Amino acid sequence: TITGEVKITTNIDGKDRYAVFKYLRNGIIDGSYSWHYADTGVTAAVESYTTGRINGSFKAYFNTGKAYKEGAYNAGRRDGEWKTYYSNGETAEIAVYKNDLKEGDYTKNYESGTNNVACKYVNNKIEGKYVELYESGSMKLEGNYKAGLREGNFTMYYESGEKQYTMRYKAGKVIGA
């Protein structure tokens, strides 16, 4: 049984990282911790645990020190708005979670910061209108989802705005063009 402070080292995405954890009785983690890149000492992530479960705010960083991902956990599950960033600081993605499932508005951006995808999730599945844009901002693809499956017309456009084609879907299967 682990009790007291323990230094843990790990390798995530090819980068060695370490943190010092405080263990309560019976090996249960508790408190706020910072992970650090082993080669530079730069903070890699900050997270909190309550009696063994990740709980509260979470923030991860690139090895440059810039924010990579941020959000919050509730009793070990993602909860609320989570943001992911590109290394240049632009927002890559914003997703809302409830009980560790995507639930609500979702956006994905290009590295330039312009919008790429906008849709809504219900119970971790895309639901309703789906829009995908070219980096220029012109429409690329539009359609509708029902319970995570394509439903109805999906229209693809050239970047000039001219329609390329339309496919018809029923329960995620192509039924015509």
Side-chain angles (χ1 to χ4, degrees):
T1 302
I2 301 170
T3 303
E5 287 189 357
V6 175
K7 182 176 181 179
I8 296 174
T9 59
T10 188
N11 187 295
I12 302 170
D13 299 330
K15 301 274 186 193
D16 287 334
R17 298 178 186 163
Y18 70 89
V20 176
F21 285 88
K22 178 182 164 192
Y23 283 85
L24 301 176
R25 292 179 307 277
N26 301 322
I28 296 173
I29 303 172
D30 198 60
S32 181
Y33 302 98
S34 297
W35 287 92
H36 302 275
Y37 289 100
D39 58 345
T40 62
V42 171
T43 301
V46 178
E47 57 194 18
S48 295
Y49 288 81
T50 304
T51 58
R53 280 194 165 165
I54 193 166
N55 197 54
S57 64
F58 172 86
K59 195 161 188 179
Y61 301 88
F62 289 102
N63 60 0
T64 60
K66 287 187 178 182
Y68 166 65
K69 187 177 280 194
E70 62 185 341
Y73 286 94
N74 184 4
R77 297 173 184 259
R78 287 173 289 186
D79 191 51
E81 185 176 270
W82 277 73
K83 291 183 179 181
T84 304
Y85 301 94
Y86 289 108
S87 60
N88 67 5
E90 290 290 343
T91 303
E93 173 180 66
I94 300 172
V96 178
Y97 288 85
K98 184 176 181 181
N99 205 20
D100 216 32
L101 301 174
K102 286 181 184 170
E103 187 73 36
D105 293 334
Y106 172 87
T107 57
K108 182 177 178 184
N109 298 324
Y110 290 101
E111 196 166 351
S112 64
T114 59
N115 187 254
N116 174 229
V117 173
C119 62
K120 186 175 213 116
Y121 277 82
V122 175
N123 200 27
N124 218 37
K125 295 178 181 173
I126 300 174
E127 185 69 39
K129 187 172 182 168
Y130 175 90
V131 173
E132 190 172 336
L133 305 174
Y134 286 101
E135 196 164 3
S136 65
S138 63
M139 183 69 68
K140 183 176 187 178
L141 177 69
E142 65 180 335
N144 286 290
Y145 279 84
K146 186 173 181 180
L149 300 173
R150 289 182 174 196
E151 187 70 32
N153 290 339
F154 267 74
T155 303
M156 180 68 107
Y157 298 89
Y158 292 104
E159 196 164 0
S160 66
E162 182 183 350
K163 186 163 99 173
Q164 284 188 38
Y165 61 84
T166 298
M167 301 291 283
R168 288 190 308 278
Y169 291 84
K170 178 89 173 158
K173 296 185 181 186
V174 176
I175 59 170

